[in-house]
Amino acid sequence: MSNHLDELTGVLRKRVLIERINELLVEAAEAGTTLSLVLMDLDLFKEFNDTHGHMAGDELISSFAKILQANCRTSDLVGRYGGEEFILAMPDTYPEEALLMMEDLLRQVSQTTHKFQAGKHEFEHQYTFSGGVSAFPRDGSAFEELMQAADKALYRAKINGRNRLALAVKERTGR
């Protein structure tokens, strides 16, 4: 497997993902197009891992990565940001479009019963994820700005009940 890919999931490693997103941001700026960034996190992953063990947790992460890859367009970039966090970069996609596409994935994942193995014990489990969507240039021009906006949106999705998505919102100053 390429050293550009995460060995557990087969998606881009964090470092390579960030480099490629930065390249996409330059291209979007030059072309005057938009780029949506989706930060996703598996809901209640720690509890799943604590209950079923790290091998089952790795299976869950790997399962989600495969579903994510299967539902992406060829122009999209998918990468593992860390732990159970993933990033999807969607070139030439408005955030509202990205949100609609991700809502389909959200339904698919939450309505599917997945099979897992914990040692010799096989079990079925339904899981969900939450996500935050930000976009260039609306929410920032650099990767860090887009990540911060997506992270705040992800946090809102989590505190509003998980298994949902949220769009980044521009914070207003008191002026």
Side-chain angles (χ1 to χ4, degrees), residues 6-169:
D6 178 72
E7 61 187 42
L8 176 64
T9 62
V11 299
L12 292 173
R13 291 179 185 263
K14 180 180 179 177
R15 176 187 53 79
V16 177
L17 177 69
I18 294 170
E19 288 172 7
R20 299 235 177 115
I21 290 172
N22 282 325
E23 291 168 6
L24 289 175
L25 286 169
V26 169
E27 291 171 16
E30 289 172 354
T33 59
T34 190
L35 173 102
S36 287
L37 187 98
V38 185
L39 176 61
M40 292 157 281
D41 179 84
L42 296 173
D43 293 328
L44 304 173
F45 179 76
K46 183 182 181 328
E47 288 85 346
F48 178 88
N49 217 24
D50 290 348
T51 302
H52 301 290
H54 293 287
M55 288 177 67
D58 284 352
E59 265 191 72
L60 185 125
I61 289 170
S62 181
S63 165
F64 181 70
K66 285 182 178 85
I67 293 168
L68 189 54
Q69 283 182 297
N71 286 276
C72 289
R73 303 168 303 181
T74 54
S75 60
D76 296 339
L77 288 180
V78 181
R80 185 173 176 198
Y81 194 65
E84 76 281 5
E85 286 186 320
F86 291 84
I87 292 177
L88 174 61
M90 305 172 82
D92 203 20
T93 307
Y94 289 102
E96 296 79 9
E97 291 175 283
L99 187 74
L100 289 173
M101 293 165 73
M102 294 306 297
E103 283 177 348
D104 287 340
L105 180 65
L106 194 73
R107 273 189 297 281
Q108 179 186 341
V109 169
S110 67
Q111 294 173 0
T112 302
T113 299
H114 307 272
K115 291 186 181 198
F116 294 96
Q117 190 82 31
K120 294 181 181 180
H121 175 65
E122 189 175 290
F123 64 97
E124 293 182 344
H125 180 76
Q126 285 184 292
Y127 66 90
T128 60
F129 73 94
S130 298
V133 182
S134 64
F136 166 85
R138 186 188 79 181
D139 301 309
S141 57
F143 172 77
E144 294 77 17
E145 294 169 321
L146 295 176
M147 271 300 292
Q148 184 177 25
D151 192 43
K152 286 180 181 178
L154 171 60
Y155 180 74
R156 264 196 348 276
K158 293 276 192 185
I159 62 171
N160 286 322
R162 296 184 182 92
N163 191 27
R164 63 189 65 227
L165 302 159
L167 280 175
V169 292

